[in-house]
Amino acid sequence: MTETNGEKLPGRRRTRFPDISSRAYEHPADRSALVALRKLSGFDTVFKALSGLLPERSLRLLFLSDSVRVSDAQFSHLNDMLRDACYILDLEKVPPMYVTQDPKPNAMCIGLDEPIIVVTTGLVELLDEEEMRAVVGHEVGHALSGHAVYRTVLLFLTNLALKVAWIPLGTVAITAIVTALREWFRKSELSADRAGLLVGQDLQASMRGLMKIAGGNHLHEMNVDAFLAQADEYEKGGDLRDSVLKILNVLPRSHPFTTVRASELKKWSETRDFQRLMDGHYPKRTEDKDTSVTDSFRESGRHYAESVRTSKDPLMKLVSDIAGGAGDLAGDLGGKLFGRFGGGAGAGSGTEAKTGDPSAPQAPDGNAGDAGDAGDAGDAGDKAGEGKDRAPGQGEG
């Protein structure tokens, strides 16, 4: 940190994002859920008022009494990182941060009234300064997105629903809710990884941090490119049985697998959206109230459709091929049916449609219009066949 006119600024020059909306870095699936929840005016306010029903106060007292609160006097380097992250993402109120004794590397952002950030000693000892900066940015991203509030609210609703699981088919319904909730949790982690990159602005440091979380503090024995190659092998390797096992392995998890997180973050860093964001073109917080829920869900649908279309996973490729085959079949059938019925109508009426040959018999105006329409319909059927690549997107949207 450096101090100018009494104001503390980041130690090295980084791009700052004034008034940035969390929508700028949120994963499409995460963003659509958050936009919908934000439109429910007063929803989170009610639950904040009912926070006494939740163990938030107990957690705050627990960390205050049995952890070390980060400040200028304690873990000052973490305090500098925290201020940096809030400065870069333009978060007005710096959340309290605690270091708690736990050899397992972990960090979290929790709380309804006010978010608090907790990091374990295992994480602090594992990561270097730039890697840790990305983690702090990750947690500040959770705070800016409001994940702490909405996660707590949804967990509360899930726990409430569990109490009525005795209702017929209640267990099936609850399982569906928990599965959907965990899927959102996993996508919110991808969003926070992006926030961490915006704060640290060092892709290699973000990659190294994820690699260390997976393999420990043996950086001289590891390689980022090889680690990313693992992610590629995981995605495209095996057969349909492996695809099913991947799904079963990830269902109970609240976080995506580490190699997958690294791969997803690298892909996002190479997109035009990321470059535009770094150039200062991003959605503003003051515009959040005007965001369309429908548009957000459509974007989420398009993202999932594109993910299926471009995935190297055997099961996803099968789904994409089936969807593409359905588009081919629909196009071929449509073209043949329209063409056949169109030609039959012309023959049945004793007239022929207009052609490019001026010597060809011309139909009377009324019949020519009918035949022309049938011909256009045949063309539409053929075009439907050509549009097979768009079939998955239409089905998902």
Side-chain angles (χ1 to χ4, degrees):
M1 296 285 287
T2 58
E3 191 166 334
T4 304
N5 297 326
E7 182 183 6
K8 289 192 173 183
L9 301 177
R12 74 172 172 86
R13 193 173 184 83
R14 294 182 181 83
T15 301
R16 185 172 180 252
F17 308 100
D19 194 37
I20 187 173
S21 168
S22 59
R23 291 180 290 115
Y25 59 79
E26 284 164 352
H27 185 281
D30 178 31
R31 187 189 309 130
S32 61
L34 290 173
V35 168
L37 286 170
R38 288 166 186 151
K39 290 292 182 179
L40 296 176
S41 180
F43 183 64
D44 57 337
T45 304
V46 170
F47 278 90
K48 285 179 181 180
L50 296 175
S51 60
L53 298 174
L54 300 164
E56 180 180 354
R57 287 181 178 274
S58 176
L59 285 173
R60 288 181 182 278
L61 290 172
L62 177 63
F63 289 119
L64 185 63
S65 64
D66 205 31
S67 300
V68 175
R69 183 163 58 190
V70 172
S71 66
D72 286 333
Q74 301 185 120
F75 289 101
S76 59
H77 72 292
L78 293 181
N79 195 46
D80 289 346
M81 291 180 195
L82 180 60
R83 289 177 177 273
D84 276 5
C86 294
Y87 175 81
I88 290 170
L89 294 182
D90 199 17
L91 189 65
E92 293 182 5
K93 188 172 183 180
V94 179
M97 183 175 179
Y98 294 89
V99 176
T100 189
Q101 173 64 31
D102 187 342
K104 183 176 180 180
N106 198 11
M108 55 185 169
C109 181
I110 57 175
L112 270 180
D113 285 329
E114 296 178 0
I116 62 174
I117 295 172
V118 181
V119 297
T120 65
T121 52
L123 190 68
V124 174
E125 293 164 3
L126 176 67
L127 305 181
D128 67 25
E129 182 175 351
E130 293 303 311
E131 296 158 5
M132 193 68 198
R133 190 181 301 277
V135 170
V136 173
H138 175 111
E139 300 306 327
V140 171
H142 276 314
L144 181 58
S145 287
H147 287 149
V149 173
Y150 297 119
R151 281 183 171 202
T152 308
V153 167
L154 289 175
L155 282 172
F156 175 78
L157 292 176
T158 302
N159 291 335
L160 183 65
L162 286 171
K163 295 178 181 179
V164 295
W166 55 270
I167 298 174
L169 299 180
T171 303
V172 175
I174 295 303
T175 301
I177 293 172
V178 171
T179 300
L181 181 60
R182 284 176 176 157
E183 168 65 10
W184 175 53
F185 277 14
R186 290 190 289 271
K187 294 301 183 286
S188 72
E189 289 301 321
L190 298 180
S191 298
D193 283 343
R194 296 175 178 184
L197 179 58
L198 292 181
V199 168
Q201 298 176 23
D202 184 344
L203 179 62
Q204 287 301 308
S206 294
M207 296 289 102
R208 290 198 311 270
L210 290 168
M211 187 170 64
K212 282 185 176 180
I213 290 173
N217 192 17
H218 303 281
L219 192 58
H220 63 288
E221 296 284 355
M222 298 184 286
N223 179 278
V224 170
D225 291 335
F227 188 64
L228 291 171
Q230 286 183 228
D232 187 62
E233 181 181 346
Y234 171 78
E235 182 182 7
K236 68 182 181 183
D239 53 22
L240 292 178
R241 293 170 298 178
D242 295 304
S243 297
V244 173
L245 290 174
K246 291 177 191 176
I247 295 172
L248 294 177
N249 285 341
V250 80
L251 280 179
R253 294 175 60 93
S254 61
H255 287 56
F257 292 116
T258 319
T259 57
V260 174
R261 290 172 62 183
S263 176
E264 288 290 326
L265 185 60
K266 187 172 188 298
K267 288 176 185 175
W268 184 68
S269 72
E270 296 168 347
T271 62
R272 184 170 178 270
D273 287 342
F274 175 74
Q275 189 56 57
R276 282 179 54 81
L277 200 162
M278 294 302 297
D279 291 339
H281 305 288
Y282 51 83
K284 302 296 178 63
R285 211 172 301 161
T286 50
E287 302 166 351
D288 282 349
K289 62 181 182 302
D290 302 321
T291 308
S292 168
V293 177
T294 303
D295 290 346
S296 297
F297 275 104
R298 284 176 179 167
E299 184 180 355
S300 176
R302 285 194 296 269
H303 172 81
Y304 274 112
E306 179 66 13
S307 297
V308 170
R309 190 181 70 81
T310 59
S311 176
K312 301 172 186 176
D313 180 81
L315 179 59
M316 293 300 101
K317 287 178 67 176
L318 177 63
V319 171
S320 180
D321 290 343
I322 290 173
D328 274 342
L329 181 61
D332 291 343
L333 287 177
K336 290 177 181 178
L337 288 172
F338 282 128
R340 177 166 301 185
F341 284 116
S349 63
T351 62
E352 295 183 25
K354 294 181 180 179
T355 68
D357 185 356
S359 64
Q362 303 297 312
D365 290 342
N367 289 335
D370 294 341
D373 290 343
D376 290 341
D379 291 341
D382 292 337
K383 289 179 180 178
E386 295 172 4
K388 65 179 181 178
D389 289 339
R390 292 187 296 273
Q394 292 165 350
E396 292 288 340

